[in-house]
Amino acid sequence: MKNIKNEILAWVDDNASDLSDWHQTIFNYGETAWREYKSCAWYVNRLREEGFEVEEGSGGMPTAFCAVWKNGDGPTIGSYAEYDAVPGNCQAADTVQRARDNLSEHAGGHTDPHSALGISSLGGLLAAKKMMEQYNIPGTLKYFGEPAEKVRGSKPIHAANGYYDDLDAAISFHPFYMLPLSNTTRWNTHCGAAYAMIYTFECKEPETWLSQSDEADSPIAASHASARAPGANDALMQMYGTSKLLKESMVAAGTGWSMNECILTAGQATADNLPAQIAQIQYIMRVPDLEMAETVTRVLDQNAAAAAQISHCSWKKDWVCKSRPGLPNHVMAQLTYDNLEFVGAPKFNEGKAAVKKAQEIQRNLGLDEMDAPFMTECEELISPQDAERELRKQLPEWQKNFTSDDYTEFCWHAPTVRLYIARPTLKAPDNGKKYPAWVMNALGGIPETIDPMILCASKTIGNTIIDLLTKPEVLAKAKEEFEERTGGVGGENWIAPQCDYPSPHNFRWPEYIETERGVEWWIPKN
């Protein structure tokens, strides 16, 4: 077995150039939620070339997929790629702040970066597949394309449509985004629930807003001199303002949660004496549990109804996401961490090319260059138990879940691990200043700085897959723990999928468009 694990490491190293090039492709696509057309197509084509059977548009989502490769009868191990970027973060893989070539700074860009998330899991998957072929290891690899994670979009839909039901175990990887969750796995405190929805306001009958006696003699049926209906923009602003004002009344004080909003559609009228016909606002809440999500949703619904009434509009709510809180699995967490120990933490300060790029960034910002510019924690392992203890210091005892990500959907269908590998992060400047946000985004795209994370994660994931396929006693223990925590699928403590809505891809999500000027972001460069 040790030979196979070393061969996994060797395979990843031998294919490091391909993995780096693949990542550059996805990073530079920079496509945002529900509009990841090129990114999804790239994965579909790559997987088919590797011998996978691929279902495109899985779960009714145009930019999702489900890929399966089978090597005889054996366990089914699941993993996934994410590839959605974030609007307004169009940073080039460069040491200065600039948008990617020929694009507006408002275009999409990878922040976490999901581009590296997907290529890392793909690298581990393909490394494990190679070993399965070479040593005739039976089993099935099931790999998902998961769009729109930034709005917690696809995994609740895949789960509700049965795509995870045949998994024996699942591996979730994410580049680290906060300490102490760097080069470790989650132990007890997994991510929480998330609800996201779009409220649509429409002013369908503006002519019924007021009945004025002087209109009877007007030569114009709907006089422009009349008082106009408030309309949809006013409803949206009422919704926005009221929800901000009442935020502290939505849940109990001292509760760790967050809520953010995004205006998707507004106006549909000129600056004339005509009311706006339609306006849409999206909310997403990240909360510890489903009960809290339902409470916040009730308040938002009341706010929408009140805003619509005073603005002479109708309103409706469409769901974007209902994701469940995460569930621990200690067997999976320890197994994956053991493989991370075997691989070792990524090294950034040892790479001359990575250090040079980091120093260029510091110099371009007018800061003193550091001999070892990357955070020490990026190159150190922390056990899941130690990371748990550090994480719990900032949380109340009652809170079981913290932060948000929809990998949690896998947790209720199969034993699941959440793996974090350090992404390149610079040490704080000595003068107390903070790096601008573009620096982290750039480091996530520069090959010299992000590749060490991709290689480390690929090796760890590949070896974990092989362990799950060749150590039936370990997989049995993981499944036994899953049964104990849930009572089994449908059991007493099991939470069923909350998704009862279709894919919300038809809304006006920000996207790239093609005009006479070529392909550009919907907000032009100039």
Side-chain angles (χ1 to χ4, degrees), residues 233-295:
N233 282 352
D234 294 76
L236 185 148
M237 293 306 297
Q238 288 289 340
M239 175 73 176
Y240 176 88
T242 302
S243 297
K244 287 284 191 184
L245 289 171
L246 298 184
K247 188 172 181 180
E248 67 178 17
S249 300
M250 292 184 181
V251 295
T255 299
W257 73 293
S258 67
M259 183 177 72
N260 301 94
E261 67 285 317
C262 171
I263 296 173
L264 287 182
T265 299
Q268 309 304 312
T270 62
D272 199 351
N273 193 33
L274 298 170
Q277 298 169 341
I278 184 171
Q280 294 175 325
I281 186 168
Q282 177 197 220
Y283 284 90
I284 182 168
M285 66 195 78
R286 301 164 180 86
V287 292
D289 55 52
L290 293 175
E291 182 180 2
M292 193 179 300
E294 293 288 349
T295 299

Side-chain angles (χ1 to χ4, degrees), residues 110-123:
H110 286 282
T111 56
D112 281 353
H114 286 177
S115 52
L117 181 162
I119 298 303
S120 297
S121 62
L122 179 64

Side-chain angles (χ1 to χ4, degrees), residues 226-494:
S226 301
R228 76 174 203 173
N233 282 352
D234 294 76
L236 185 148
M237 293 306 297
Q238 288 289 340
M239 175 73 176
Y240 176 88
T242 302
S243 297
K244 287 284 191 184
L245 289 171
L246 298 184
K247 188 172 181 180
E248 67 178 17
S249 300
M250 292 184 181
V251 295
T255 299
W257 73 293
S258 67
M259 183 177 72
N260 301 94
E261 67 285 317
C262 171
I263 296 173
L264 287 182
T265 299
Q268 309 304 312
T270 62
D272 199 351
N273 193 33
L274 298 170
Q277 298 169 341
I278 184 171
Q280 294 175 325
I281 186 168
Q282 177 197 220
Y283 284 90
I284 182 168
M285 66 195 78
R286 301 164 180 86
V287 292
D289 55 52
L290 293 175
E291 182 180 2
M292 193 179 300
E294 293 288 349
T295 299
V296 175
T297 300
R298 286 197 296 272
V299 178
L300 290 176
D301 286 352
Q302 292 173 359
N303 293 349
Q309 183 177 16
I310 63 175
S311 303
H312 200 60
C313 291
S314 61
W315 73 278
K316 69 171 183 174
K317 176 179 67 182
D318 291 280
W319 287 103
V320 175
C321 162
K322 291 183 184 178
S323 70
R324 295 166 281 182
L327 182 72
N329 193 284
H330 290 171
V331 175
M332 290 289 292
Q334 190 62 56
L335 173 69
T336 308
Y337 182 74
D338 290 346
N339 279 305
L340 176 55
E341 279 193 316
F342 178 77
V343 172
K347 299 300 180 184
F348 301 98
N349 287 314
E350 293 179 3
K352 292 182 179 180
V355 169
K356 183 179 178 181
K357 290 293 184 180
Q359 290 173 337
E360 285 182 15
I361 290 175
Q362 291 174 328
R363 187 166 60 250
N364 291 334
L365 290 171
L367 302 171
D368 293 335
E369 298 177 14
M370 299 180 186
D371 293 334
F374 296 98
M375 285 174 50
T376 303
E377 292 88 345
C378 291
E379 301 184 324
E380 296 177 340
L381 303 181
I382 179 170
S383 73
Q385 296 86 351
D386 287 342
E388 176 73 15
R389 281 190 286 271
E390 288 298 315
L391 185 65
R392 294 304 311 185
K393 289 179 181 179
Q394 58 183 306
L395 298 175
E397 185 176 349
W398 64 266
Q399 187 171 340
K400 295 182 179 180
N401 298 85
F402 179 57
T403 71
S404 174
D405 187 297
D406 63 357
Y407 80 88
T408 53
E409 291 297 304
F410 282 94
C411 297
W412 298 97
H413 299 268
T416 300
V417 63
R418 177 66 159 180
L419 168 67
Y420 295 98
I421 305 295
R423 57 182 295 193
T425 308
L426 300 183
K427 293 178 182 176
D430 293 334
N431 58 11
K433 293 184 178 180
K434 292 184 178 181
Y435 293 103
W438 69 262
V439 172
M440 282 289 281
N441 298 346
L443 290 170
I446 297 171
E448 293 88 342
T449 57
I450 192 61
D451 286 358
M453 186 209 76
I454 294 174
L455 301 183
C456 177
S458 295
K459 293 171 181 178
T460 304
I461 293 167
N463 277 320
T464 301
I465 292 173
I466 293 299
D467 275 346
L468 291 168
L469 294 173
T470 60
K471 296 181 177 180
E473 71 283 0
V474 175
L475 182 57
K477 288 182 180 178
K479 297 174 81 169
E480 180 181 349
E481 181 180 350
F482 176 82
E483 294 284 330
E484 290 174 353
R485 292 184 183 277
T486 63
V489 173
E492 181 180 0
N493 297 318
W494 186 68

Side-chain angles (χ1 to χ4, degrees), residues 60-112:
M61 298 175 284
T63 54
F65 65 81
C66 175
V68 177
W69 182 80
K70 191 175 180 66
N71 193 45
D73 294 331
T76 299
I77 310 302
S79 191
Y80 61 86
E82 293 170 0
Y83 30 78
D84 59 320
V86 184
N89 286 269
C90 185
Q91 170 61 37
D94 203 346
T95 58
V96 294
Q97 184 178 17
R98 70 174 181 89
R100 300 195 309 282
D101 292 344
N102 302 315
L103 287 174
S104 160
E105 63 183 4
H106 302 295
H110 286 282
T111 56
D112 281 353

Side-chain angles (χ1 to χ4, degrees), residues 103-268:
L103 287 174
S104 160
E105 63 183 4
H106 302 295
H110 286 282
T111 56
D112 281 353
H114 286 177
S115 52
L117 181 162
I119 298 303
S120 297
S121 62
L122 179 64
L125 184 87
L126 296 181
K129 175 178 176 288
K130 181 66 174 179
M131 298 304 110
M132 293 170 69
E133 292 173 318
Q134 185 171 328
Y135 292 98
N136 195 28
I137 299 171
T140 297
L141 301 178
K142 196 169 186 181
Y143 192 66
F144 298 93
E146 302 284 10
E149 189 279 332
K150 288 299 181 183
V151 292
R152 309 299 183 262
S154 65
K155 298 183 193 75
I157 295 174
H158 271 148
N161 283 277
Y163 283 89
Y164 305 156
D165 289 352
D166 61 345
L167 298 179
D168 291 290
I171 300 171
S172 168
F173 162 67
H174 201 290
F176 110 96
Y177 51 83
M178 68 177 189
L179 295 175
L181 299 177
S182 176
N183 300 323
T184 191
T185 57
R186 283 211 185 224
W187 194 243
N188 285 328
T189 308
H190 278 253
C191 285
Y195 273 20
M197 66 284 281
I198 294 170
Y199 289 94
T200 299
F201 299 96
E202 290 186 87
C203 187
K204 296 181 178 180
E205 298 179 335
E207 70 279 0
T208 63
W209 167 240
L210 293 173
S211 177
Q212 297 184 9
S213 59
D214 60 349
E215 288 187 0
D217 300 324
S218 173
I220 304 175
S223 174
H224 281 262
S226 301
R228 76 174 203 173
N233 282 352
D234 294 76
L236 185 148
M237 293 306 297
Q238 288 289 340
M239 175 73 176
Y240 176 88
T242 302
S243 297
K244 287 284 191 184
L245 289 171
L246 298 184
K247 188 172 181 180
E248 67 178 17
S249 300
M250 292 184 181
V251 295
T255 299
W257 73 293
S258 67
M259 183 177 72
N260 301 94
E261 67 285 317
C262 171
I263 296 173
L264 287 182
T265 299
Q268 309 304 312

